[in-house]
Amino acid sequence: MALFRTITSDLPDIFVAVYLLTACLISTILNPLVHLYNANRPATVPAFLFRALTFLDFITCIILPIMVCYNVLRGCSDEEDCSEPWFEVKNNPGITVILLGVVTWAFLITPPFLTGLLAIARFFQVRYPFRPIKMRLFVLAVVIYILYILIVLLVLFLRSPTTTVYYARIQSVWNVFPGLDNLASVFVFTAPCIVCTTVSMGASALTVRELINSARDKRAVQLRKVGVKCSVKVILTNLGSIIFMIFYINVVTIASTAPPSDRTKSDCVLYFMYAVVCPVLLSAINPVIFISFTPQVLWVLGGSGTAAGDTTVVFQGPPINRGQSEAPIRLDVITVHESRT
């Protein structure tokens, strides 16, 4: 079973294989570095979310390429409908395939939720710098979201195995809820992710506004630079997930409105882009973005000091008076831990 190669050329499949192997190599090297860096930093909400994101990215760049190579090499079995060369369908898949489909769906739509939480947490850090963020709220949100996704997907795929199908090209199992069509069934388990992504767009815009408003403050230039770098890092990471979710909604809409008999090679390429190419690309780019804005990743892991991410900031503002009967206090130096984000 080929992917997209034609009778006269194998270049499309060669290009896909090289791309997947390159992304897998980048992710396998960089995501563990970012994960270990955040694991060695103080326990904060961004550090927790980045650890979860790097873990998912690492697994994604292993599972998806392996699944693609497996489906290419194994050929087409007698149980599959291979009459359409670009969209093989396996009816009534086994429990192993169903569980693998559940994992694939969960890994596709969980990273955008995490990056959305990152953008929201970053806004609160910028807007309320002296108000600590409650870790347990974000941990609870992640746990509830993952449990919701897994329960809905298992009910969706296991409630009636005879109507469950496996699409080899897009690496996923699918079914529909009673009384709902494809589009409505998709939004049942993706609604929390879509809501979080939408809120994160507003949080990113508000973060940019807060940074612009604070740009006039000349008392802590270095502090502002650290805040801008951390914010840009989070916003860029969230931007990729926003683009992915927009692409995802368009793909699902097309898949739900076009009957199976009208699916073409172009549809298959579009589905493959959504289900394999985009997740693998984001899984490889996310650690690159993190390391680009946090080069201390290599310094700390290299043993050059645990305070590589600390920045000393000198305030040149007026003295702070605690009261008329007490001597004034002057805030001269503060150490900012860049690892907080």
Side-chain angles (χ1 to χ4, degrees):
M1 182 175 75
L3 280 173
F4 305 110
R5 67 172 178 245
T6 61
I7 298 177
T8 59
S9 177
D10 291 337
L11 288 179
D13 281 7
I14 294 176
F15 175 78
V16 171
V18 171
Y19 161 77
L20 291 177
L21 291 176
T22 303
C24 182
L25 180 63
I26 295 174
S27 173
T28 303
I29 295 175
L30 297 185
N31 275 308
L33 292 180
V34 177
H35 185 88
L36 290 175
Y37 171 80
N38 286 284
N40 292 330
R41 307 312 292 176
T44 61
V45 171
F48 162 72
L49 294 175
F50 272 120
R51 289 200 303 268
L53 181 62
T54 53
F55 172 76
L56 291 177
D57 286 343
F58 178 79
I59 300 298
T60 297
C61 264
I62 292 179
I63 290 181
L64 291 182
I66 290 177
M67 290 175 63
V68 171
C69 295
Y70 170 75
N71 284 319
V72 170
L73 295 175
R74 70 180 174 83
C76 185
S77 64
D78 297 335
E79 300 177 357
E80 293 178 301
D81 179 13
C82 297
S83 58
E84 299 180 40
W86 307 108
F87 211 83
E88 288 80 9
V89 176
K90 183 177 182 179
N91 296 311
N92 192 18
I95 184 65
T96 302
V97 176
I98 291 178
L99 293 178
L100 188 60
V102 171
V103 173
T104 303
W105 274 110
F107 274 75
L108 284 178
I109 61 177
T110 300
F113 182 81
L114 295 178
T115 58
L117 291 181
L118 268 171
I120 296 171
R122 185 56 193 165
F123 164 71
F124 281 104
Q125 284 186 323
V126 173
R127 183 66 179 84
Y128 308 102
F130 300 107
R131 183 180 302 176
I133 303 176
K134 295 182 179 180
M135 170 80 77
R136 63 177 180 272
L137 295 180
F138 284 83
V139 174
L140 185 62
V142 173
V143 171
I144 292 176
Y145 175 79
I146 293 177
L147 290 177
Y148 173 83
I149 293 298
L150 293 178
I151 292 174
V152 171
L153 289 175
L154 288 174
V155 172
L156 182 67
F157 298 148
L158 295 176
R159 66 170 185 84
S160 181
T162 57
T163 60
T164 302
V165 297
Y166 174 71
Y167 298 103
R169 295 301 188 195
I170 60 176
Q171 317 293 322
S172 65
V173 178
W174 187 237
N175 204 343
V176 294
F177 283 111
L180 298 178
D181 57 10
N182 284 334
L183 186 59
S185 297
V186 167
F187 280 101
V188 167
F189 70 90
T190 56
C193 187
I194 294 175
V195 171
C196 184
T197 303
T198 304
V199 173
S200 70
M201 295 171 62
S204 298
L206 293 175
T207 301
V208 172
R209 190 188 69 174
E210 291 293 332
L211 293 175
I212 293 175
N213 292 337
S214 65
R216 301 174 182 176
D217 186 2
K218 299 180 180 179
R219 293 178 298 174
V221 178
Q222 186 63 30
L223 178 61
R224 188 168 63 247
K225 290 181 179 179
V226 172
V228 170
K229 286 178 59 178
C230 295
S231 299
V232 171
K233 175 175 61 180
V234 172
I235 290 174
L236 287 179
T237 303
N238 188 45
L239 180 62
S241 297
I242 291 174
I243 296 174
F244 171 76
M245 289 304 298
I246 295 174
F247 186 31
Y248 159 76
I249 293 174
N250 291 332
V251 168
V252 171
T253 303
I254 295 174
S256 301
T257 55
S261 58
D262 294 339
R263 287 170 181 156
T264 63
K265 179 181 177 180
S266 298
D267 293 332
C268 181
V269 172
L270 185 63
Y271 303 152
F272 188 80
M273 288 284 293
Y274 146 71
V276 178
V277 174
C278 284
V280 170
L281 178 63
L282 291 177
S283 298
I285 287 181
N286 285 339
V288 173
I289 293 175
F290 189 96
I291 295 176
S292 298
F293 289 91
T294 315
Q296 295 85 0
V297 171
L298 303 179
W299 300 347
V300 172
L301 295 177
S304 60
T306 58
D310 296 346
T311 302
T312 301
V313 182
V314 178
F315 287 84
Q316 298 178 352
I320 301 175
N321 292 321
R322 292 184 296 178
Q324 296 180 355
S325 61
E326 300 181 19
I329 299 175
R330 186 180 183 88
L331 182 61
D332 292 321
V333 178
I334 184 172
T335 299
V336 179
H337 299 276
E338 189 176 358
S339 64
R340 291 176 67 87
T341 56

